């Protein structure tokens, strides 16, 4: 089972790639408590307060085109999953597609995490189009339900 979100963002492929690979970029849309190694084989760690800590190995880095990670330290249901970020130029905009692949069939929390990923894709779009995303812990993320009250 996969979660997929796609959108078009008013940015360049290179700016989007930077937002997906650098600590500053990732902190701007996903969680400010991040350690990122933008190199194949590196491990990115994301901390969500006392709620969760996730680690992903960087499997692919194709500048301006594609980023892919595989799970390292994740909830049991996410073991063996991958996150794939696809980037494609679209005139003066950039098409973006996010996929989390390999979730178990009949995953009980599918709806919850599909919603959360949708909110974080929205946060990424906001970061690149307005300069301000809505990462975990921000007032807007609390209002959207992506941060516990």
């Amino acid at each position: 089972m996969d979660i997929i979100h796609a959108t078009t963002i008013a940015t360049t492929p290179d700016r989007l790639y930077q937002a997906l690979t650098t600590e500053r970029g990732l902190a701007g849309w996903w969680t400010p408590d991040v350690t990122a190694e933008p190199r194949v084989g590196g491990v990115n760690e994301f901390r969500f307060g006392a709620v969760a800590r996730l680690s992903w190995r960087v499997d692919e880095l194709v500048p301006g085109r594609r980023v892919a990670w595989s799970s390292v330290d994740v909830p049991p249901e996410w073991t063996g999953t991958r996150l794939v970020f696809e980037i494609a130029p679209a005139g003066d905009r950039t098409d973006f597609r996010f996929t989390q692949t390999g979730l178990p069939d009949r995953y009980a929390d599918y709806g919850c995490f599909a919603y959360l990923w949708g909110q974080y894709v929205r946060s990424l779009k906001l970061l690149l189009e307005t300069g301000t995303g809505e990462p975990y812990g921000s007032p807007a993320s609390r209002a959207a339900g992506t941060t516990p009250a």
Side-chain angles (χ1 to χ4, degrees), residues 78-91:
W78 287 16
T79 299
T81 64
R82 291 187 78 209
L83 302 183
V84 180
F85 308 90
E86 297 172 283
I87 303 165

Side-chain angles (χ1 to χ4, degrees), residues 33-116:
D33 193 1
V34 58
T35 304
E37 295 184 56
R39 62 176 181 77
V40 173
V43 175
N44 296 338
E45 186 173 294
F46 303 89
R47 293 165 294 279
F48 299 84
V51 176
R53 183 177 61 86
L54 307 173
S55 297
W56 299 88
R57 183 181 51 253
V58 178
D59 295 329
E60 294 180 57
L61 292 173
V62 182
R65 295 287 180 187
R66 182 178 169 94
V67 175
W69 305 335
S70 57
S71 60
V72 173
D73 185 10
V74 294
E77 299 86 354
W78 287 16
T79 299
T81 64
R82 291 187 78 209
L83 302 183
V84 180
F85 308 90
E86 297 172 283
I87 303 165
D92 62 344
R93 296 176 172 270
T94 301
D95 287 337
F96 173 68
R97 180 180 166 114
F98 164 85
T99 307
Q100 183 175 14
T101 65
L103 292 165
D105 290 338
R106 297 187 179 110
Y107 178 39
D109 292 326
Y110 179 87
C112 175
F113 284 103
Y115 169 80
L116 291 172

